[in-house]
Amino acid sequence: MNKNRIRFEIEDTEYNFSYKKSDLKIDFNRIAFIFFILVLISTVFSIHLIHLGSRESKIKKEDDLKINSNSPYRADIVDTENNYLVKTVKSIDIGINPVEIIDKKKLLLNLRYIFPEKNFQEIETKIKKNKFFWFEKKISEENYEKIMKLGDKSIKPHESLTRLYPHKNLFSHIIGQIDDDNYGISGLEKSFDEILKQRSEPLELTVDSDIQFLIRKELIKYNEIFNTKGSAAVLMNIHSGEIIAFTSLPDFDLNKRDKITDKNYINRVSKGVYEFGSVFKTFTLAAAFDEGLIEPETEYSDLPKSLTCYGFAIREYDNKIPKDLSAEEILIRSGNVGSVRIGQEVGQEKFKSFLYKIGVLEEINFDIEETGKPIKFNWGKCPLATASYGHGITTTLLQLAKAYSIITNGGFEIVPTLVKKEKKIKRRKILDKKVSEKILPILRKIVTTKEGTASLANVEGYEIGGKTGTANKSIDGVYSNKKVNTFVSVFPTSKPKFVMAVMLDESSRSDSYIYHYRDGSNFKLLGSPRNTAGWTTVEVTGQIMDKIGPILATKYLEIN
């Protein structure tokens, strides 16, 4: 304890208080000495700041100034809550100009001492060529201090920038990378390259880091459980097109700046083109509703168990599907033959036009350049039949989410986006609003009824509706036993706001996974009965919703 500390004693009285002060003796010379030390420390610190400041660029930092694209500058990128996804920091690169070396032997000796891990045989070879070369990129502050103290004119510091990605892998397929010359080479870094160089404020995205993290975590978990090659998920507002989460696995750490050559790292949301199977049956029924040809209750009698087209059989995936079904029951039970019948009623030209209208047949115009082009579909009598139940026709997961948004948001066209827009875009109506009114209850029944294929996604409180799709993967033009399992969900179906498309690439059955039924029975099942979307992707979607549902309800759903 300090014996010279001031002690206060408060005495209560009716109108005032007083205090007594202990004796305090301070020598003036001691005060002067302490003051001198503080001034000295302050001076040293100021000199250090001035020195560091000399490393900064001369760029003016006025808020509205547009910075020259050749300057080492790049705007930060933030998520919808202004959390940093990308942060720019200044760095120093050290070059050496051999023709200005004062004492080669002395310089090399000093450099060996500062950078003992470098290959100096290679450096000596570069010096002999008498051409400028980069000695150390993004030098540490400590080594910068040391190398500049050498005082050799040949040492040339150059200010550059470094992009830091605090979330590492989380947004790798969205953000992309830049090269050493401050040019974007992938993702938003490439497509918004000039804007990021000129923009004074951070670029705000629509994505939510918390939700993205939780979705990625579940995908990683179930990639292992179902032994997948990869997976993807996209969560989007069906009215604005704002993307809340955009996840593709495997992903990569942006900070490592690795050159990715493995094709398995493809962006499976917007770049990968796939056959998605039965999720297309929703489009067939929606097209019929849009044309006013049928109603949900329209009956289809004596449906055969199989059809033949060009010598190939079109069969039901489940022989227990009844021969007499209504239009909505065909979608609920995911009937192939019934979907063909509906597609034939719509007709080739009208169905083709409908698919173009909802944006699944052409390459999408998107915020990043990594987009896939659906394989050209050769229409005809049999192709119409197969397209009606999602066979032989391709698109991307992002376009699938867009199409489901249009048929459930009242028929308005949307433009999926990762970047926050300052002004709301006026929406254009392209479908009859009755399409949404008729489709939504059917999608809900696919999740809530025992005849449906998606009961494992019936998470209480969120009114999830959706459609499953199980497709055999085409490899080099030949169909294999490998599967692409997909589930597209829309929720809440009474007042839809979100669409979430989840895909597992080459998933397998799990013999050890325990399923917990969501029908109130508390029934548990060990192992996957089949490798279909209903037993893989639907389960993943349900687990994702358990995690993100409360966040969505808190942050995004309107409370009446």
Side-chain angles (χ1 to χ4, degrees):
M1 298 288 290
N2 186 350
K3 292 181 179 179
N4 293 325
R5 186 178 62 185
I6 297 173
R7 184 176 65 226
F8 292 87
E9 295 179 1
I10 300 175
E11 298 178 352
D12 291 328
T13 65
E14 186 175 355
Y15 297 107
N16 55 42
F17 72 88
S18 64
Y19 67 87
K20 296 178 180 179
K21 186 170 67 175
S22 64
D23 293 337
L24 185 63
K25 295 179 180 179
I26 301 176
D27 185 81
F28 176 79
N29 290 332
R30 188 179 180 186
I31 293 176
F33 177 73
I34 293 172
F35 180 75
F36 172 74
I37 293 296
L38 290 174
V39 170
L40 182 63
I41 292 171
S42 177
T43 303
V44 170
F45 185 67
S46 298
I47 292 170
H48 184 63
L49 283 179
I50 292 168
H51 172 65
L52 291 178
S54 69
R55 295 172 59 183
E56 295 293 324
S57 69
K58 305 295 183 182
I59 297 171
K60 293 181 180 179
K61 295 182 179 179
E62 300 170 10
D63 287 342
D64 299 324
L65 180 65
K66 288 193 174 180
I67 296 149
N68 190 295
S69 61
N70 292 322
S71 302
Y73 174 85
R74 203 171 184 89
D76 299 328
I77 301 176
V78 297
D79 74 357
T80 189
E81 295 190 322
N82 287 313
N83 298 309
Y84 283 106
L85 306 184
V86 187
K87 181 70 177 171
T88 296
V89 295
K90 296 292 175 64
S91 64
I92 300 292
D93 298 332
I94 298 294
I96 292 178
N97 185 8
V99 298
E100 295 185 63
I101 293 176
I102 299 171
D103 186 330
K104 177 182 172 183
K105 187 176 179 180
K106 182 181 177 182
L107 176 64
L108 287 173
L109 186 66
N110 286 323
L111 291 177
R112 275 194 179 95
Y113 177 74
I114 301 171
F115 303 93
E117 75 289 346
K118 281 193 176 291
N119 182 346
F120 277 88
Q121 188 175 352
E122 183 182 319
I123 290 168
E124 284 190 62
T125 302
K126 289 181 178 179
I127 289 175
K128 287 177 182 178
K129 291 179 180 179
N130 274 342
K131 290 183 179 180
F132 177 89
F133 65 93
W134 290 113
F135 176 76
E136 177 77 350
K137 290 272 190 177
K138 299 177 179 62
I139 192 170
S140 68
E141 186 174 319
E142 181 184 358
N143 284 340
Y144 173 77
E145 301 267 356
K146 291 177 181 178
I147 200 170
M148 295 310 293
K149 284 179 180 178
L150 298 181
D152 198 302
K153 289 183 179 181
S154 65
I155 297 170
K156 305 294 183 183
H158 174 76
E159 185 182 67
S160 62
L161 62 80
T162 297
R163 296 287 260 177
L164 298 182
Y165 306 94
H167 294 281
K168 298 181 179 179
N169 297 47
L170 191 59
F171 294 99
S172 56
H173 288 286
I174 295 174
I175 301 298
Q177 295 178 305
I178 65 170
D179 63 15
D180 291 335
D181 297 315
N182 191 23
Y183 288 102
I185 56 176
S186 62
L188 290 169
E189 294 278 33
K190 183 178 182 181
S191 55
F192 280 73
D193 187 56
E194 285 304 315
I195 292 173
L196 288 167
K197 288 175 181 177
Q198 297 174 10
R199 189 182 178 93
S200 59
E201 297 296 323
L203 182 67
E204 184 180 358
L205 305 189
T206 60
V207 293
D208 186 302
S209 296
D210 295 332
I211 293 175
Q212 177 92 353
F213 173 82
L214 293 171
I215 291 177
R216 179 178 181 269
K217 185 178 180 181
E218 292 304 304
L219 287 182
I220 290 173
K221 174 183 175 181
Y222 284 94
N223 279 352
E224 185 174 344
I225 290 171
F226 295 123
N227 192 29
T228 71
K229 182 180 180 180
S231 59
V234 57
L235 174 66
M236 183 167 66
N237 183 310
I238 68 170
H239 301 290
S240 67
E242 291 188 347
I243 294 171
I244 301 165
F246 184 110
T247 309
S248 178
L249 296 175
D251 50 25
F252 47 93
D253 186 348
L254 290 168
N255 293 300
K256 293 181 178 179
R257 300 172 69 87
D258 293 331
K259 185 177 180 181
I260 306 297
T261 56
D262 187 346
K263 290 182 179 179
N264 197 38
Y265 283 83
I266 187 174
N267 178 339
R268 285 177 162 83
V269 177
S270 61
K271 180 67 174 176
V273 174
Y274 304 91
E275 285 187 32
F276 289 107
S278 296
V279 290
F280 263 74
K281 293 171 183 174
T282 307
F283 305 150
T284 308
L285 189 59
F289 288 158
D290 193 48
E291 293 294 332
L293 299 173
I294 60 174
E295 295 296 326
E297 303 80 19
T298 301
E299 290 289 335
Y300 289 84
S301 303
D302 294 321
L303 292 169
K305 293 297 179 185
S306 67
L307 298 171
T308 302
C309 203
Y310 290 164
F312 294 97
I314 298 173
R315 298 186 179 89
E316 297 290 15
Y317 84 98
D318 185 355
N319 286 328
K320 293 179 182 178
I321 293 179
K323 65 178 182 178
D324 298 327
L325 294 169
S326 66
E328 76 166 16
E329 286 172 336
I330 288 171
L331 189 60
I332 292 168
R333 289 179 173 270
S334 198
N336 291 338
V337 174
S339 296
V340 172
R341 288 284 186 252
I342 296 172
Q344 289 170 337
E345 281 193 61
V346 175
Q348 176 180 304
E349 290 306 316
K350 288 180 180 179
F351 189 46
K352 179 180 176 182
S353 174
F354 182 85
L355 294 179
Y356 271 111
K357 199 184 296 184
I358 60 175
V360 296
L361 294 184
E362 292 183 307
E363 186 172 359
I364 192 170
N365 184 19
F366 191 44
D367 294 326
I368 58 177
E369 293 182 10
E370 290 80 6
T371 55
K373 187 175 183 179
I375 298 169
K376 185 180 179 181
F377 192 70
N378 296 314
W379 291 91
K381 183 178 179 182
C382 279
L384 170 62
T386 61
S388 298
Y389 67 94
H391 180 77
I393 192 164
T394 64
T395 194
T396 66
L397 193 68
L398 178 62
Q399 288 169 276
L400 207 58
K402 173 185 176 179
Y404 267 78
S405 296
I406 293 170
I407 63 176
T408 58
N409 71 5
F412 291 95
E413 184 178 28
I414 64 159
V415 179
T417 183
L418 291 164
V419 180
K420 205 83 172 177
K421 301 294 189 294
E422 294 181 3
K423 296 180 180 179
K424 287 187 177 181
I425 300 172
K426 189 175 181 181
R427 298 190 300 168
R428 184 169 67 93
K429 197 170 186 62
I430 58 174
L431 300 180
D432 192 312
K433 69 175 183 178
K434 291 183 179 178
V435 173
S436 299
E437 294 171 358
K438 294 172 183 177
I439 281 289
L440 282 163
I442 303 173
L443 296 179
R444 179 64 178 147
K445 289 176 184 177
I446 291 171
V447 175
T448 59
T449 64
K450 63 180 182 179
E451 295 83 11
T453 57
S455 60
L456 292 170
N458 191 21
V459 181
E460 187 177 354
Y462 301 107
E463 291 184 20
I464 298 170
K467 183 69 188 79
T468 53
T470 302
N472 288 84
K473 200 171 183 180
S474 176
I475 301 175
D476 297 325
V478 179
Y479 284 100
S480 66
N481 291 325
K482 296 176 180 179
K483 300 287 183 68
V484 173
N485 290 341
T486 310
F487 181 56
V488 186
S489 57
V490 179
F491 55 95
T493 49
S494 62
K495 192 178 180 181
K497 187 164 185 179
F498 305 106
V499 61
M500 181 163 67
V502 179
M503 181 269 281
L504 301 181
D505 191 353
E506 297 187 18
S507 62
S508 306
R509 290 176 57 254
S510 171
D511 294 325
S512 59
Y513 184 72
I514 300 174
Y515 293 88
H516 296 259
Y517 281 38
R518 296 180 185 269
D519 58 2
S521 66
N522 293 320
F523 182 77
K524 298 178 184 178
L525 178 67
L526 176 63
S528 314
R530 289 180 294 278
N531 181 20
T532 60
W535 291 105
T536 57
T537 318
V538 173
E539 174 66 8
V540 177
T541 300
Q543 295 298 322
I544 288 173
M545 281 303 301
D546 281 334
K547 311 303 186 300
I548 71 170
I551 300 175
L552 286 173
T554 304
K555 288 185 179 180
Y556 298 96
L557 288 179
E558 296 174 5
I559 300 174
N560 294 322

